[in-house]
Amino acid sequence: MNRSFTRIFLGGILIFLIIQVIQPVRNIDYGQVPSSDISKVYKVPENIQSILRTSCYDCHSNSTDYPVYGYIQPFSFFLENHIKEGKKELNFNVWGLYSKRKRSHKLDAVENQIMQRKMPLPSYLYLHQGAKLSDEKIKEIVDWVESVRTENL
């Protein structure tokens, strides 16, 4: 029985090491801000841009700041899927490619999600405490969204 356990354990370690070779494509833009980024479409004050980068961009842009565990399988697969889903829902780097109607809808969604504290996701906040939005930051974003609506309607 002890020999069986040892073989299973060593087999598990071998499989774990082998899957480390399989790495997904990373969501990294190397510091390039595309011309379609939200900051190129609207006037985004520095405080709002800072909040977006800290609390939103890892999952909702083409630039993710990967944590150490993001390079270890199977965590990496989970993380990449999460990012892919987040970008499918909203990508701040392609904001300029959205229609006016879609931009308006996305602004409403951003405002609603943060006011209801649905974003950032609790699972993200668990490991990224600095991304948590205080009441003050939520108010700043809501006020900015309202100003964007006023200026662009």
Side-chain angles (χ1 to χ4, degrees):
M1 177 132 142
N2 191 18
R3 200 175 260 174
S4 296
F5 176 77
T6 303
R7 285 184 180 174
I8 291 171
F9 180 73
L10 291 175
I13 289 176
L14 183 62
I15 290 170
F16 176 78
L17 292 174
I18 289 171
I19 67 170
Q20 299 312 305
V21 175
I22 305 167
Q23 292 290 323
V25 176
R26 302 283 174 206
N27 186 46
I28 301 173
D29 70 357
Y30 302 104
Q32 302 298 322
V33 178
S35 60
S36 57
D37 188 77
I38 192 169
S39 64
K40 304 289 184 177
V41 177
Y42 301 134
K43 182 179 180 223
V44 182
E46 186 57 40
N47 64 322
I48 300 300
Q49 190 65 39
S50 176
I51 294 168
L52 294 177
R53 288 200 185 286
T54 302
S55 300
C56 309
Y57 269 49
D58 275 351
C59 298
H60 296 287
S61 77
N62 296 331
S63 183
T64 300
D65 184 18
Y66 286 92
V68 173
Y69 66 83
Y71 294 91
I72 300 171
Q73 301 300 2
F75 305 112
S76 182
F77 289 126
F78 171 76
L79 189 60
E80 286 305 318
N81 185 55
H82 187 79
I83 293 167
K84 181 180 172 184
E85 292 298 315
K87 284 174 55 177
K88 187 168 76 173
E89 187 62 36
L90 170 67
N91 187 338
F92 288 110
N93 288 148
V94 298
W95 191 270
L97 303 177
Y98 294 156
S99 68
K100 255 189 154 174
R101 183 177 175 185
K102 189 171 185 176
R103 287 181 204 167
S104 177
H105 172 73
K106 294 296 181 188
L107 280 174
D108 290 342
V110 166
E111 183 178 26
N112 290 332
Q113 292 287 310
I114 65 162
M115 286 179 66
Q116 296 174 21
R117 297 191 183 269
K118 291 183 178 179
M119 284 289 158
L121 293 174
S123 59
Y124 181 77
L125 293 174
Y126 183 73
L127 294 170
H128 302 90
Q129 291 294 313
K132 187 172 183 174
L133 295 174
S134 65
D135 291 340
E136 180 182 310
K137 287 180 180 178
I138 290 172
K139 183 177 179 349
E140 288 179 47
I141 292 174
V142 169
D143 290 347
W144 175 75
V145 167
E146 292 299 325
S147 73
V148 167
R149 260 197 215 105
T150 303
E151 293 171 8
N152 295 287
L153 290 181

